[in-house]
Amino acid sequence: MSFSTTMIEFLKKFDENPFCVELKEKEYLIGEGEPKFKVKFKKELSITDLMQSTSLALGEAYMRGDLIIEGDLYHALDCFLGQMSKFQTDKKSLKKLIFSSNSKRNQKKEVSSHYDIGNDFYKLWLDDSLSYSCAYFKNDTDSLNEAQQNKIERILKKLDLKPGMKLLDIGCGWGSLLIQAVKEYNVTGQGITLSQEQYNGFTKRIKEEGLTSQISVKILDYRDLQKQNWQFDRIVSVGMIEHVGRDNYDLFLSNVNSVLKPQGIFLLHYISALKEYPGDAWIKKYIFPGGMVPSLREIIHICAEYNFYTLDVESLRRHYNKTLLHWYHNFNEHRNEIEIMMGTEFTRMWELYLCACAATFHNGIIDLHQILISKGINNDFPMTRWY
């Protein structure tokens, strides 16, 4: 059997949505019916590579330009990635990639590899607030700026902030949530991050807004929270627990517990999964080294060990799909600038990341949950929905 035949035979199992494959000037139909998209292979892919990691083999081929999608990239991935359960992953040979070290030094390195690419890069395709997390679309016509503002407002309302309270943001990004909380609710804010670029950007914004007496930001590992002489009325963490690793979820919540006052409230906003998967090899190698997506049930389970009471759980899966499509649109609006800044292979890698994530949210492979948690059962908190 030739390499071409072997490769086509491998691809035939992804037949839920028909598509066309072009290889060596020949076309092959996968599935039945009118093809929904077309894939052109400039080079054959090794069946060994496809079997070791289907995700890595296809992803790297796309990055190199050896795999071309004719038509809309998101549409093609949306049709294809619903079948990720059929992907092959040799966890033994990819052990170091899939299960990387959770040491402080390595986790800072992994966080920096993504968030320290450069603030100028992120400014090109994020909204004005530089919110790099799921937005909330109250209306279908909301702009990305409006939706990110909606998200921040929704989180702050859930936290039921009162003047004079102290708010901690674990993984504070470029600081928009804390800045708005201080301005609207007259609280004091503390942010922590492992990203030097985010620290620099947030520090600059604090000075520009004249909020140096009300907001502080520090480069700090969450594991060092319990060593700080801090106590907070409210804690929020948006899109950060995905970086701590499955073995450290308990440690993360232990540190939250150590700085949250009795009767305090904690909101955890994070990408979730239905089950406890080890993660995707391509995403771990190129986008989020060490990234691990918690399931909803394992976080809820650990919360009970700290007598954290779950007040509210909300899925924003479809909102993240739409957020990513907005980011992808903005990315393409600045594609030439990004290609000059970052190079062609990086640009193809990043567009694949944005579209693949949008497709996996749409297909329910991953989800987005906000969990509102109370440290205490009879605190002064609304009995009905407050948002």
Side-chain angles (χ1 to χ4, degrees), residues 271-290:
I271 297 172
S272 59
L274 194 61
K275 297 181 181 179
E276 298 74 38
Y277 301 113
D280 177 76
W282 183 80
I283 287 285
K284 283 175 175 279
K285 183 173 181 179
Y286 291 103
I287 307 299
F288 291 114

Side-chain angles (χ1 to χ4, degrees), residues 138-296:
K138 286 184 180 178
N139 307 293
D140 192 55
T141 55
D142 285 348
S143 68
L144 180 60
N145 282 334
E146 290 169 335
Q148 291 292 10
Q149 179 68 24
N150 294 342
K151 182 268 298 293
I152 292 173
E153 288 177 355
R154 193 169 184 81
I155 288 174
L156 298 181
K157 284 180 181 178
K158 286 185 179 185
L159 287 169
D160 193 42
L161 295 169
K162 301 289 193 302
M165 283 185 171
K166 294 182 179 180
L167 171 64
L168 170 66
D169 188 345
I170 303 173
C172 58
W174 286 277
S176 291
L177 187 147
L178 279 179
I179 288 172
Q180 189 162 327
V182 168
K183 284 184 170 182
E184 288 192 12
Y185 294 90
N186 196 24
V187 300
T188 56
Q190 175 70 57
I192 66 169
T193 180
L194 288 180
S195 166
Q196 186 67 49
E197 285 285 300
Q198 290 184 339
Y199 171 84
N200 293 343
F202 191 7
T203 301
K204 183 180 178 183
R205 292 179 73 181
I206 292 170
K207 291 178 182 177
E208 290 173 348
E209 297 279 356
L211 297 173
T212 53
S213 64
Q214 291 173 275
I215 303 178
S216 300
V217 59
K218 188 172 184 177
I219 293 181
L220 186 76
D221 191 289
Y222 74 91
R223 285 167 281 202
D224 292 325
L225 279 171
Q226 56 194 358
K227 300 174 185 176
Q228 311 301 308
N229 188 27
W230 289 344
Q231 285 287 289
F232 296 94
D233 304 280
R234 301 289 189 260
I235 298 177
V236 63
S237 184
V238 178
M240 179 273 173
I241 198 173
E242 300 91 321
H243 296 287
V244 310
R246 177 150 285 120
D247 293 338
N248 284 353
Y249 298 152
D250 184 88
L251 184 59
F252 175 82
L253 288 170
S254 173
N255 274 269
V256 169
N257 183 55
S258 72
V259 293
L260 183 61
K261 292 179 181 180
Q263 309 301 325
I265 301 295
F266 170 45
L267 186 141
L268 180 64
H269 169 124
Y270 72 103
I271 297 172
S272 59
L274 194 61
K275 297 181 181 179
E276 298 74 38
Y277 301 113
D280 177 76
W282 183 80
I283 287 285
K284 283 175 175 279
K285 183 173 181 179
Y286 291 103
I287 307 299
F288 291 114
M292 187 76 72
V293 177
S295 70
L296 177 62

